[in-house]
Every structure is written in C-alpha cells, then in structure tokens.
Amino acid sequence: MATLDELKSALRQKAAATSSLRQPLSEAQYRDGFDLLTRGPGWTTYQDFIIPRLAEVLQPLFAARIRVSVLEIGPGPRTVLGYLPRRLRRKIGTYTALEPNSLFATQLRGWIASSSSPTATSSSSSTLSKVGLAEEEESRLPCLESAPDIRHIPFVTQAMETERDGSTTTTTKTTTSGGLDDHDRKFDLVLFCHSLYGVHPKTAAVRRALEMLVDLPRDGLVVVFHRHPLDPVVDDDDGLVCHRTATFPTGVVSVPDADDDSDDDKAALDAFAAFVAGFTTADETTRAAWRGVCRDLGRRGRLYPAALVFAAPETMMAFTRAATTALPELAQAGVPLVLGHGNQPPSLRTVKNREARVCRPTAIARPTDVGGVQACVRWALRHGVGLTVVGGGHSGHCLRPGVVAVDMDAFDRVSVVADGPLVWAGAGCTTGDIVRAAMAAGLTVPLGARPSVGAGLVLQGGIGHLARGYGLACDAIVGAVVVSVASGEVLRVGRVPSQHLPVGAVQCEEEDDLLWALRGAGTNFGIVVGLALKACAAQTYAVRSWVVPLRNRSDDGRQKLHTFDKLVASVLPQTSSSDAYLYGSGNGDGLCLGVTLFETSAAGADNHHGSAHASVLAAVLGPETSVQRVDDIGVFETDMYMSGMHGGHGGGKTSSFKRCVFLKDIGEAPIADALVAAVATRPTPLCYLHLLHGGGAIRDVAADAAAFGSRDWDFACVVTGVWPRDQDGTEAARAAVGWVYRVMSELLPLTSSSSSGVYGADLGPDPRDAPLVVRAFGPNGVRLGRLKQSLDPRNVLAHACPLPRPPREPKLIVLVTGDHGAGKDYCADVWVSVLTNKGLSARAISISEATKREYAAATGAKLERLLRDRDCKEAHRPALTAFFQSQVQRQPRLPEEHFLHGVRNAAADTNVLLITGMRDEAPVSSLAHQVPRSGLLEVRVEASQETRRGGPSSKSDSTPSDHRPCLVFHNDTNGHEAVQDFAERYLVPFFHEDRQRLARMVRRIPNFPREGIEFRHVLDIAQRPGGLALCTSLLRSHFAGNWAEVEVVVGCEAGGFVYASALAGLVNVRLALVRQAGKLPPPTFSVERFSSHISSMAFRDTTQRIEIERDVIPRGAFVLVVDDVLATGQTLLAVLRLLDKAGVGAESVAVLVVAEFPFHQGRKLLRQHGFGRVSVQNLLVFGGA
Ligand SMILES: Cc1cc2nc3c(=O)[nH]c(=O)nc-3n(C[C@H](O)[C@H](O)[C@H](O)COP(=O)(O)OP(=O)(O)OC[C@H]3O[C@@H](n4cnc5c(N)ncnc54)[C@H](O)[C@@H]3O)c2cc1C
C-alpha cells in the first residue's frame, strides 16, 4: 500500500508527463476531496488517534484555565474540538478560526451554532456527524462567551507575506498576527489540524503561532496534526523543541472504487486525485491516467473491498512557547550539542536503528560528565519537554522528531572491580566493550548475542547464550548511578563501587523499587549513567550448527521442531543452550530449519569433544554444517544470521524490525504449525524467526523479584522482518513490519498469559505495540505503572517502552486499628457492606496476611488455618508477633512494604480499601506520602474490656500514644446499627458530589511559582462563583469534632483568613487571626515560622515571625485552626506553637484544611515536634509536589 505522499508524487509526475495544464482547485473541488479523506478509515484516524491524543495533550492546559481562548487554522467544515469530551469543550470561552475556504467557513458557522441536531449540511458532514452528536443536548462549544469568530481568510506567515510582497522587510505588526487584523490578540491554544499542507516552511507557521500565544502563563499550546510518514514540522528548520509528540503509523485513507469505471467511481477518483495532487486539470487523458495511478498504488483491503486504501501515517506535535527559546538555554548550560542544519538531521554517529535514523531530533546532546546529564534533565523539567536517551542506538525509540536526545556515548569506561567480582560499565558502553574488558580479567558478563548493542539491552532484559547458566543481563545488575528525571539529582542505587560514585550522589529514597525496576524495565525511570554488573568466569564455547531443509513443510517442520525441543533443548544442562532458526532457503520458496548448539565451559577447560547432545542432533538432523571453538568475543560471530543464513549478514546491506514473544512447547502442533506457517508467509525472502533458548537460571528468579516478569518460557521467538536497505520506506519495508506484527498477534494467543509473554525491549508508541505491552512485564505491570508516576512524574522519558497504566489508587484508604478483640475485622466488614450498598466498590484486607504467609513458610504452620481458623490464629498469636518483630528488626521498612503491597494489589476499581491489622504508631503520618493521591484515614476501634472478645481478663494492647487517630469508633453497642451509622456519618460523605465539585474548582497552574512546579490554586476556590459558600459549608459538615466545644476559630494569613473567617461566621464562633509579626497591636504572642511550601519555592528560604493578640483566645479554650493548605506543615507548626504559648495545648486543638499535599509529609513534621495528638482533617487530597 503506497502512502499518500507517494501517491502525490506519482500523480504530479504523471501530470508533468502529459504536460497538462494545471488549474487550482476550486473551493467546491477542495471540499469534495477533503470530504473523501475524512470518511471511512480516514475517520478512524480521528477516532483512534486525533481526538484522544488532542484530549490528552490539552487536559493539563484546560485544567489550569477557567476559560480557554482558541485560534484554529483551517478547521474545515467542522472543528475537531467539537468532538472532545464535554468537560474540555465546556472550557472553551472564545473560538476564532481562519478558514480560507468560504464554503467551509459558512458550514463551520452553522455547525457550531447548531445544537444537538446533527443535521447534515454537506456531504462532508455525513461522516463526521455519525459520532457522538446524536445524544447531545447542547451545542458543540457550549460555553462560548461570544459568538464564534470565523474569518474567511488564510493564515499568513512572514515568509508568505515576504514572498507575496516581493519584499524583504522585517516583521511588522501585521506579520505577527498570522492574518488577523487585531494584532494584539493572544490565545491559549492555536490548533492546526491538517492545515499545514502547502505551508513552507512549516516551522515558520509554528513560530508565528507561538508568538500568538498568551505571554503568561507560558503553558499555552500550539498543536499540529499532520499526515506524513515522518517528522512533518521540524523537517525544514531546526531548533523547535516539541512539548509532546505522538505518531499513528497505521493511519489510512480510502477512496470508493468498485473498479467498474462507473461514473460515481470516476468522479470520486478524480476528486481524490486532484485533492492529493494539489491541483486539477481539464484534460481527460491526464485524469484517466491519474485514475490508473490510484488503482496501481492503492490497495483493496478485506475491510474495504470496494475502495482503494492508502497509507496515511499521522503525527501530532505540540509546542509551548519554550519551543523556540529552550534550545539556546541548553547550549548555554555547557552541554555539547549537535544540531541539524537546514534540512540536515543532526549527526547520528551512534544510532544504528533505521526507524530512529530517519527521525529528526531537534538536537543531540552529548554530555561528557554526570553534570551534563543533570543539566539536560533539569532543562527538560524546566521547559516541560521530554528527552530520549541514546545507548547503543539499536532501538527505534532513541530518537524522536522534535525531541532532544541525550547521547551517552561519552560514558564509555568499563572497569573490573575484583571484589565481587563486578564489572562497572558506563551507560555508553556496548556489549562488546563490556565483554572485552571483562575478558582481560578472566571474566565475562551474561549479555546479548551482538557486540554493538548498548545499555538498552541490559536495562530491558538481555537474552544471550549465557542466560541459561547465569541469568539475564538485567539479573546481573547489582547497582547503578542514575540521574533522576523527577529532580535532576544523581542517585546511588544498590551497590556502587566508591570510585564510581559521582560527587554529590544521594541515596535514592525508593532505592529498592528503582533497583527492582532497572532489572527489566530500566529505560523508564531515570537516565542511567553507569551500572555495576555481577561477573562470572570467562567462558569458551563449542558451537555446532546444522541446517536442514523442511520438505513437507508443516509435518516435517513440526516433527523436527518436536525432536529438537524434546530430545535436545529440554534435556540440555544449564551450561549449554541451543537456538533454532526458521527461514527461507536461498531461492524458491523452500524453508530451512537451522539449529545451533552452544556448549560452554570455563575458559581453558576443553570438554567439548563428543557431546552426547550433538550426537542426538546429528542423528536427527544429519552431520553438522560447522563446528567452532570460540571465546566470549568470538561467540558473537557465530550467530547463524551473521555467519550462514541468507549468505551471512542477510547477504548484504539490510534493515530489520523485530518483536519477540516467549514460547513453550515449540514442537507441539499449534505452535510448531504457526511458526512454520509464519515463515511461509514472509513478505520478503529475508524475514526469519530466531528461537533463543531459555529456561535454566532465567527461571530460577521469581517472576516478581525483578521487573522482567516473564520467566517461565523455553524459547524467546524473535520475529524478524528484514528487507534490503535500499528499500527502506517502501512498500516492502512496510510489509515486513506488518508481517512481524501479524505473526506476533497469531503467536500470542498460543501462549499462556500466566507464564509466557512478550519481551519489552523495543516496544514503543506504535498502537500495534499496545497489546504486546500488556503482556510484557508479567505480574509486574501494575507496580511499574505506579513507579513511573512517582519516579518520572513529568514524563520526561515519554518515549521509552510504554508501561501499563496503573489502576487508580483507591480514593480512600481506611486503616482500621484498635486493640486485640475490639472488633476491627467485624467493623471493617460492616463498613464494606455500607459502602457497597451506596454503589461504591469497597473491600477489606488484613495486613497481617503477608506476615502469616511468611510465618507459615518459615515454620511449616498451615497457612489456610492461620488465615481462617480463629483458634489456630489465637494459638499462634504470640509466636506470630515475635516472628513479625524479628522481621521488622531486620527489615525496618517491612510494615510499609506490606501496606504498599496491599494497596497495589487492590483491584483497579476499588474506591475504598479498608486495611485491618496495622501495628504502626501514627500510620497516617508515616504512610500518607506513599499514597499521595488517596485520602488516608485511621479509624481506631475502641471497646470496653467487657465487650472485647477476650472477655474481662483481656488486657488492652494500648500504650499511651503520641498521636491521635483521625476518627474513633466506640464499639460497645450490640448489633450492626451503630457500626453502620458511623460509616454513614464519616465514610460515605467522602464521596459526596459536593466534595468532587470542590476538587474540580482547584486549577493546576504549571510552572508556578517556579518552572517545573505545578501549582494547585486552592485559594482560587474563593474566587469562583459559589466556591467560598460551598467550601465553608463542607468545612462545617465534615468537621469530625463537636461544634459545641469549639470556642475559637483561628486563621493564619493569607489563605486561612479567607476560609476561617467565612466558617467562623457560618458557625457563629469567635475568630482569631494570626498575622506576620509587626502587623498586630501589642500585646501579642509571637513565634518563628519557617517558610511554607510555596513561599520557599517562590522566594529564598526565609524565616519570619508570626503573632496573635494575647487576649483573643481564652486560656485552655478549644480551638479549631482552619487553613487552605497543609503541605510541608511549617505554617501549621508555627500556629500550633503560637497556640501553645497562648496556653492552648495540643489536646485542645483540631485542624481543618481545605487541601492536603501528603507528598510533603506535613503530618510527620507536626508529630516530630510533639503535635501528633492534634486532630488534622482535610477536604481534598492532591498528589504531586
Ligand atoms: C541487531 C540486534 C541484535 C540484538 N540482539 C539482542 C540479544 O542478543 N539479546 C537481547 O536481549 N536483545 C537483543 N536485541 C534487542 C536489544 O536489546 C534492544 O534493541 C535494545 O533496546 C537496544 O539497546 P541499545 O542501547 O542498543 O539501543 P538504544 O536505542 O540506544 O536504547 C534502547 C532504549 O533504551 C533507552 N536507553 C538507552 N540507554 C539508556 C540509559 N543510559 N538510561 C536510560 N535509558 C536508556 C533508550 O532511550 C531506548 O528507549 C538486539 C537488537 C538488535 C537490533
């Protein structure tokens, strides 16, 4: 199937050959052509790519604005904005469009004005109207503050004006307005959806659009959608840095053609061809020739038999104002940069992958030290842009159009650390570099089969000939130095030899998690600077190869694979491995099976003679075709593709595309048949399957012990599409890639989802990778998704292997604590049923289950009985407690890990998770930052001795505590009623619509007060219509204390003043105000206050004093402190100290805040300073910093 671009040039060539007179398209001809492109599969591109991607990229911008102003260039008869989710459409306050086609401009006016009735107003509307409109009651842009401003004029760039005027004058007011006459108008969003065709240079249009964005805040967006095989917008200039990019390589468009030369077909083909060529002709000979070109190049698909289909890959690029200014800043930071010049891409020295080489990154940064890598990361964070990382350059994802790449080439040192033994490898080293250096010390590291592959292999798995004996390459990682993409800090992870530890490196807070993630999914969480790898003794290899033709393909193939698998592969010792290849024979369509047997021994030993396994293979396959004895370097050249198959190296210069699925039972009918059938249907003679031997040490590691979660397989089947390099970008190349995905989709259902899966290396943003990603990390996907959010919260490494999106954390986590026998489990069960009856998904788990499992494993006790049988539980209770305590002594973070494990394993749809059995002191203050997006409550169940199950003799477990649970339930009444009432009163309101409404009033403001910070404008609630009243009413109704006891409401400036005053008025309680020192008349009490979260970011760290008037609070009164935000807790701590001075102790204070940011651990600070017994409540919880 040709691309639209290929069709365009073929049509133009044909027109040139017939010397026909070119005529510009009339508006009606343009409309008819446009209509064809948005029908059928063309509309699928809108549904599957344009609309969801646009919604995704606009989400943060729209969330940060009360109203959004939009300029759309060339929208056509309808605006794609009208298909966005309602919550986004409702944000659009003003809409301006520049539409050069008067027919479209008229249609667009009508379409936006029309409300729910999707009456078709033109042929082009028929397709677009099918989606979404019918059930709508309101107009497409329902919250416009003024009528849409649709102008029948083109968008004009300075270059166009210069060309038109024949002048070379510098930019004037007119030229910066893009065609608008009101020059100073600025927009939050400028959108080009398929409207950059014919604009040259495209970057000039983007630059001009960027100038039309509002000056502040600087998060306004220019978004471009364009049909093009590659990088459409950055291809004719350099220097524009993309904020976000996405591609849709499988996009297609079609034109109806039943191939019967009916008048309808002719008319459709003529309209389509003229639209694609960009001009029309009155000459019937040329038009007939064009129809022939379309039929020659288009494909009739199964889905569209009466249509010609053309490939139309789609790209999205989004830019902020930083697009033009960011790059010079990176250069100023002293990082060596390689830039493209004019049409030249930046130098691609280290990039081998063809898919990557054709991308045009904005620049390649070549840092020479860790500081340089940090500078790149900090730059990306400051400007809200992504980065790619280049290791060995073998994947398609190390370069992306419009993105800055960080090339690790300079980190090329390898050294051997005798103690271990370990090999320290810089992230720019290749497999060959590492093995060569290790061999010099008599060592090796289990890596892959090709010497030129880089760090991406180690970080994502690494399957090689030593894997059965020593594990995957990622299993050898024992330590790393990583530049955090959350902060730019240098992190030490695991074991790093001191001489390789950069100055200023800090221990990673989530060290265990990061080390775990680096072992199999390590390209997603930071830029790895160097790795400590466990080494083993250098090896020698006896390598024997066989090649046999497959006669009666299916039967012969199945039988030979069966024999190979059962008689050889499955019985080989771990020191040996055997790979198989299925490929086409030199000429004709015959197939061959190649087998290579690798038998290893420590270097120097010679025990390779007369291998029994070689004899078995010889008996089945005949005599070997080659026998070699090689070392760890020599073994690289024994790969059959390199040495023999297709004449070695594919017989010349080739390009390839690979995906890899893990298989078992390759000799059994369904799999063996599918493998043989796959090779038989290869679209180019060079495509092949490589089956790499697994098992052994790979399987010895538990699936959840490292991120690489697929372990239980026998063969890694690398489906390899190969084509001659001179056919790059042609139909042959596309067919080979399509074949790889088709074979993967055929093999995947034959694997067991619980054991086998897909190799994560090289999976990328192509939608065809999506079903593979789901199977890439075995049981570890959810944990990886969550880690991505915490370790790369700004998605700096947006182009690495996609990870499964984590299920949302429960909205509310309730820790049910209390003495033994107080009825915690009983209460939790009742609360679950109350919440479930309200339509919420709730479940209760016991945290002690994990300990019971480990205890059962250690002592041989029966787990089932420990979990279910009360007598058994009681009998083991003392021993279990002692076991847990000894575990905690060894692993102090164990309770936290058990908690996180419980939360992670909660089902994706759980709204409320109740956890019983927590033994931690003050669990909310110690754990809240671990689940920063969830509300976390501790509910303590208390019961009198009589009520408690152990009866009168049962002693309370309580010791006097320095913390106060959020809520206390007195479980002394018989029956369910009181327990149910408690849930109705305190848990159900958490989900009240008003609370959600309040949350929606809090805007996100990116890069405020500093670049890189996303500010939540909590005080803005008070500026929204009805916001203050709603917030105050919620503060009153959600207060868990007794209003009758509250004598004073205290508010601290500035946010506290607003909410405390309103609340004090509502509940008619006296108000006391805390101000900066010097602002209140004496006498006052005053204390020092360290700067709060936001002020410490906005200004230099400062210390101020705050004060309160002496007589405003009666000594010993009960006080409610109200504030807008609890983040680091510095302000609240100062207020509590002030109250203490005023004679109000912690027992007499409660705190209500509108929003809490648990990430900053404010509660922990209060507790550390002796205020753990102050009750703190919030209305809203926000994740992030
Ligand atoms: C010819 C060939 C042979 C192969 N042989 C094997 C094999 O024998 N065994 C095997 O398991 N796999 C093999 N592969 C697959 C290979 O492991 C992946 O293609 C791997 O991604 C390549 O890593 P790279 O560093 O060379 O490529 P790159 O494209 O440079 O990197 C791959 C990914 O890793 C990221 N990355 C690279 N360096 C860093 C870093 N320092 N920090 C963070 N992220 C980083 C990149 O951003 C990219 O997303 C082979 C691939 C090819 C093309």
Side-chain angles (χ1 to χ4, degrees):
M1 187 187 344
T3 62
L4 272 188
D5 256 29
E6 286 159 352
L7 175 65
K8 179 176 168 178
S9 58
L11 293 170
R12 288 184 165 203
Q13 273 175 21
K14 189 61 83 182
T18 56
S19 321
S20 63
L21 203 63
R22 296 175 173 210
Q23 293 169 356
L25 292 173
S26 71
E27 289 199 331
Q29 285 167 330
Y30 190 90
R31 181 199 57 200
D32 295 345
F34 180 89
D35 182 33
L36 287 165
L37 257 67
T38 50
R39 282 187 187 175
W43 179 245
T44 306
T45 299
Y46 278 79
Q47 285 175 305
D48 293 354
F49 179 71
I50 297 178
I51 296 168
R53 286 298 184 175
L54 184 61
E56 193 176 290
V57 79
L58 295 185
Q59 168 59 38
L61 171 69
F62 279 35
R65 300 280 201 280
I66 296 172
R67 285 278 173 266
V68 177
S69 54
V70 178
L71 170 66
E72 185 167 5
I73 310 299
R78 291 167 179 244
T79 164
V80 67
L81 295 164
Y83 295 97
L84 292 177
R86 184 166 175 265
R87 74 192 142 76
L88 296 180
R89 287 186 287 119
R90 289 179 66 85
K91 286 276 185 159
I92 298 175
T94 63
Y95 177 77
T96 307
L98 304 188
E99 176 49 67
N101 185 315
S102 69
L103 300 176
F104 285 166
T106 310
Q107 280 178 252
L108 181 63
R109 263 182 219 112
W111 188 72
I112 292 180
S114 70
S115 59
S116 54
S117 154
T119 318
T121 51
S122 80
S123 54
S124 62
S125 59
S126 57
T127 317
L128 300 181
S129 64
K130 277 187 194 147
V131 179
L133 254 181
E135 340 70 57
E136 300 255 336
E137 287 304 324
E138 59 188 13
S139 67
R140 284 291 173 180
L141 306 179
C143 295
L144 289 182
E145 288 156 355
S146 54
D149 179 7
I150 295 161
R151 306 188 188 188
H152 171 212
I153 49 172
F155 182 72
V156 185
T157 68
Q158 187 188 344
M160 285 168 155
E161 275 187 354
T162 308
E163 201 178 310
R164 192 184 58 199
D165 302 344
S167 77
T168 52
T169 48
T170 51
T171 309
T172 64
K173 275 274 186 181
T174 326
T175 59
T176 57
S177 64
L180 290 175
D181 40 11
D182 32 1
H183 313 298
D184 296 328
R185 276 196 68 187
K186 300 275 176 174
F187 301 88
D188 296 307
L189 167 68
V190 181
L191 175 63
F192 296 83
C193 186
H194 294 158
S195 50
L196 271 183
Y197 305 105
V199 177
H200 295 294
K202 294 182 181 23
T203 36
V206 174
R207 281 176 194 278
R208 174 166 286 194
L210 287 166
E211 288 165 5
M212 299 172 80
L213 293 179
V214 289
D215 297 322
L216 283 173
R218 292 174 62 82
D219 57 347
L221 285 175
V222 173
V223 180
V224 178
F225 286 92
H226 195 75
R227 283 192 202 92
H228 197 279
L230 297 171
D231 32 0
V233 177
V234 290
D235 59 355
D236 32 21
D237 197 353
D238 55 19
L240 279 186
V241 181
C242 263
H243 164 67
R244 289 280 175 264
T245 70
T247 51
F248 190 63
T250 51
V252 291
V253 295
S254 74
V255 52
D257 179 45
D259 205 13
D260 55 7
D261 243 1
S262 67
D263 287 349
D264 283 353
D265 273 1
K266 276 190 191 164
L269 278 181
D270 288 351
F272 179 77
F275 186 79
V276 173
F279 58 88
T280 186
T281 170
D283 171 25
E284 174 52 28
T285 318
T286 305
R287 289 213 302 259
W290 274 3
R291 292 195 288 274
V293 170
C294 290
R295 286 178 178 139
D296 284 349
L297 294 183
R299 185 193 280 172
R300 285 175 205 284
R302 221 172 0 101
L303 287 176
Y304 306 98
L308 296 172
V309 181
F310 296 87
E314 182 85 25
T315 304
M316 182 201 77
M317 288 187 157
F319 305 87
T320 61
R321 292 180 71 101
T324 50
T325 54
L327 205 56
E329 201 189 292
L330 184 59
Q332 276 165 18
V335 183
L337 283 185
V338 186
L339 303 172
H341 295 289
N343 279 332
Q344 294 305 308
S347 156
L348 302 166
R349 194 157 44 106
T350 41
V351 176
K352 322 280 183 310
N353 184 286
R354 189 217 158 241
E355 201 185 337
R357 286 179 73 85
V358 292
C359 287
R360 192 144 308 160
T362 306
I364 298 184
R366 294 225 157 101
T368 51
D369 57 16
V370 182
V373 180
Q374 287 180 282
C376 293
V377 169
R378 292 194 165 129
W379 170 85
L381 286 170
R382 214 167 27 250
H383 295 292
V385 297
L387 295 171
T388 62
V389 187
V390 185
H394 279 74
S395 83
H397 317 303
C398 55
L399 299 179
R400 298 310 299 158
V403 178
V404 168
V406 182
D407 184 354
M408 301 302 286
D409 197 35
F411 297 80
D412 59 352
R413 277 180 51 201
V414 191
S415 53
V416 175
V417 183
D419 173 24
L422 292 183
V423 169
W424 176 259
C429 296
T430 63
T431 297
D433 297 337
I434 299 172
V435 172
R436 245 186 308 276
M439 267 179 70
L443 298 170
T444 192
V445 179
L447 297 170
R450 299 292 323 126
S452 55
V453 182
L457 175 141
V458 186
L459 295 170
Q460 296 176 98
I463 306 164
H465 303 309
L466 291 180
R468 284 171 48 77
Y470 298 95
L472 298 165
C474 67
D475 296 334
I477 300 175
V478 295
V481 170
V482 179
V483 173
S484 157
V485 282
S487 64
E489 283 175 310
V490 183
L491 305 177
R492 188 191 79 197
V493 187
R495 197 170 150 201
V496 178
S498 55
Q499 64 273 33
H500 297 292
L501 199 61
V503 180
V506 296
Q507 187 167 1
C508 173
E509 262 190 35
E510 293 166 287
E511 185 176 13
D512 295 346
D513 279 334
L514 183 51
L515 186 56
W516 176 87
L518 290 179
R519 295 177 175 148
T523 59
N524 250 300
F525 302 100
I527 300 188
V528 177
V529 174
L531 290 164
L533 301 167
K534 203 167 47 186
C536 57
Q539 306 286 310
T540 55
Y541 305 72
V543 185
R544 295 179 167 83
S545 296
W546 288 260
V547 174
V548 288
L550 297 180
R551 276 176 289 275
N552 166 5
R553 281 181 186 171
S554 183
D555 291 350
D556 197 23
R558 188 188 320 141
Q559 191 223 320
K560 289 205 163 73
L561 280 172
H562 185 85
T563 311
F564 161 70
D565 185 28
K566 295 295 171 221
L567 297 188
V568 181
S570 60
V571 296
L572 279 183
Q574 290 199 188
T575 48
S576 301
S577 68
S578 54
D579 288 4
Y581 298 81
L582 279 168
Y583 61 98
S585 56
N587 29 32
D589 60 356
L591 299 188
C592 294
L593 170 70
V595 170
T596 310
L597 178 65
F598 299 86
E599 291 172 292
T600 60
S601 56
D606 187 9
N607 60 354
H608 303 313
H609 298 293
S611 151
H613 306 291
S615 309
V616 175
L617 273 168
V620 183
L621 304 177
E624 306 119 332
T625 44
S626 73
V627 182
Q628 300 170 71
R629 290 196 163 70
V630 288
D631 60 14
D632 290 291
I633 287 290
V635 76
F636 289 135
E637 292 310 311
T638 61
D639 182 291
M640 197 172 279
Y641 186 75
M642 301 306 291
S643 58
M645 213 166 105
H646 300 142
H649 299 245
K653 292 204 177 304
T654 56
S655 296
S656 65
F657 182 87
K658 310 178 187 219
R659 291 294 179 263
C660 172
V661 55
F662 299 128
L663 300 175
K664 276 176 147 181
D665 300 321
I666 58 161
E668 299 304 324
I671 297 197
D673 292 349
L675 293 173
V676 175
V679 190
T681 58
R682 67 202 183 285
T684 75
L686 300 173
C687 297
Y688 69 101
L689 303 180
H690 180 182
L691 295 148
L692 285 102
H693 201 177
I698 301 172
R699 211 174 256 149
D700 292 344
V701 178
D704 62 356
F708 190 99
S710 300
R711 301 266 177 182
D712 188 17
W713 43 272
D714 296 331
F715 286 93
C717 174
V718 186
V719 185
T720 312
V722 187
W723 59 93
R725 198 173 293 169
D726 58 11
Q727 291 181 24
D728 282 352
T730 66
E731 173 61 8
R734 282 193 291 276
V737 173
W739 174 78
V740 172
Y741 280 117
R742 184 169 54 73
V743 175
M744 289 295 285
S745 70
E746 284 163 4
L747 291 175
L748 211 52
L750 304 178
T751 65
S752 135
S753 59
S754 59
S755 55
S756 304
V758 169
Y759 190 12
D762 297 339
L763 299 183
D766 189 317
R768 290 171 290 186
D769 280 336
L772 310 182
V773 167
V774 174
R775 297 285 303 276
F777 299 101
N780 301 327
V782 172
R783 183 172 174 192
L784 286 168
R786 289 216 165 105
L787 278 179
K788 177 76 179 174
Q789 283 185 342
S790 65
L791 295 171
D792 185 11
R794 307 283 303 279
N795 210 9
V796 171
L797 298 175
H799 308 280
C801 172
L803 296 172
R805 278 181 199 263
R808 270 176 298 159
E809 273 163 13
K811 288 204 174 75
L812 179 63
I813 301 170
V814 181
L815 307 174
V816 185
T817 60
D819 290 341
H820 173 57
K824 300 182 290 286
D825 292 320
Y826 163 75
C827 290
D829 287 344
V830 175
W831 292 336
V832 165
S833 69
V834 172
L835 292 161
T836 309
N837 284 339
K838 298 281 174 197
L840 295 161
S841 153
R843 65 200 66 219
I845 60 167
S846 165
I847 203 76
S848 60
E849 233 180 80
T851 309
K852 284 178 186 153
R853 274 178 209 288
E854 285 152 22
Y855 172 83
T859 62
K862 289 264 174 294
L863 178 63
E864 264 312 295
R865 292 197 57 213
L866 270 180
L867 292 175
R868 322 258 168 253
D869 178 341
R870 182 169 302 153
D871 291 341
C872 175
K873 271 194 252 182
E874 284 307 315
H876 283 273
R877 218 164 84 80
L880 256 167
T881 308
F883 177 76
F884 178 70
Q885 281 162 353
S886 72
Q887 273 190 316
V888 174
Q889 249 176 8
R890 275 180 281 118
Q891 298 166 258
R893 289 191 58 197
L894 192 70
E896 191 174 313
E897 279 168 25
H898 283 174
F899 166 75
L900 287 175
H901 187 75
V903 173
R904 275 179 200 135
N905 286 353
D909 62 347
T910 303
N911 301 125
V912 189
L913 180 68
L914 294 103
I915 303 179
T916 61
M918 301 279 310
R919 295 165 189 238
D920 312 43
E921 262 292 291
V924 174
S925 61
S926 59
L927 296 173
H929 68 290
Q930 298 281 11
V931 283
R933 288 173 195 82
S934 306
L936 183 64
L937 292 180
E938 180 192 358
V939 180
R940 185 169 171 86
V941 178
E942 291 192 343
S944 62
Q945 283 209 3
E946 289 70 33
T947 312
R948 288 163 60 207
R949 282 206 193 90
S953 63
S954 146
K955 281 202 209 115
S956 165
D957 302 342
S958 319
T959 44
S961 165
D962 67 348
H963 95 284
R964 184 192 294 267
C966 308
L967 297 165
V968 177
F969 173 65
H970 296 282
N971 187 22
D972 282 321
T973 322
N974 277 341
H976 284 9
E977 223 165 87
V979 195
Q980 285 169 335
D981 286 351
F982 181 87
E984 295 275 2
R985 163 92 176 83
Y986 295 107
L987 304 185
V988 174
F990 194 88
F991 294 90
H992 195 282
E993 165 56 20
D994 282 347
R995 218 161 162 159
Q996 321 301 322
R997 201 148 63 88
L998 191 75
R1000 287 197 293 272
M1001 288 186 177
V1002 180
R1003 284 189 288 144
R1004 298 162 186 239
I1005 318 287
N1007 298 321
F1008 178 80
R1010 245 189 12 221
E1011 297 268 14
I1013 303 291
E1014 190 175 77
F1015 177 74
R1016 303 276 190 152
H1017 198 352
V1018 178
L1019 203 50
D1020 190 37
I1021 291 174
Q1023 303 183 108
R1024 300 295 194 96
L1028 186 58
L1030 174 67
C1031 187
T1032 316
S1033 130
L1034 283 169
L1035 287 169
R1036 182 177 63 169
S1037 58
H1038 283 70
F1039 177 49
N1042 182 353
W1043 276 115
E1045 285 178 1
V1046 180
E1047 290 162 74
V1048 184
V1049 171
V1050 170
C1052 181
E1053 73 175 322
F1057 274 17
V1058 176
Y1059 297 110
S1061 314
L1063 182 63
L1066 188 71
V1067 295
N1068 202 16
V1069 170
R1070 181 173 178 177
L1071 177 70
L1073 299 175
V1074 176
R1075 297 212 60 185
Q1076 272 182 28
K1079 306 264 178 167
L1080 290 171
T1084 58
F1085 293 115
S1086 75
V1087 293
E1088 231 174 35
R1089 178 184 81 165
F1090 291 99
S1091 53
S1092 69
H1093 164 49
I1094 285 299
S1095 47
S1096 68
M1097 286 189 292
F1099 315 108
R1100 262 206 218 113
D1101 253 12
T1102 49
T1103 309
Q1104 298 168 341
R1105 291 191 77 77
I1106 55 168
E1107 60 185 17
I1108 195 166
E1109 287 174 73
R1110 268 185 195 229
D1111 307 329
V1112 80
I1113 301 181
R1115 201 158 260 282
F1118 191 91
V1119 167
L1120 175 67
V1121 179
V1122 176
D1123 210 346
D1124 57 344
V1125 163
L1126 168 56
T1128 59
Q1130 290 293 355
T1131 301
L1132 196 50
L1133 176 62
V1135 171
L1136 294 174
R1137 282 178 165 158
L1138 200 60
L1139 291 173
D1140 196 45
K1141 260 193 170 180
V1144 180
E1147 294 288 344
S1148 303
V1149 185
V1151 174
L1152 253 183
V1153 294
V1154 178
E1156 182 171 350
F1157 294 76
F1159 177 85
H1160 297 281
Q1161 304 190 56
R1163 288 181 194 243
K1164 196 169 180 181
L1165 183 88
L1166 299 186
R1167 182 162 177 250
Q1168 280 165 348
H1169 289 84
F1171 293 103
R1173 289 200 54 78
V1174 172
S1175 141
V1176 180
Q1177 274 186 269
N1178 57 51
L1179 290 182
L1180 306 172
V1181 170
F1182 291 115

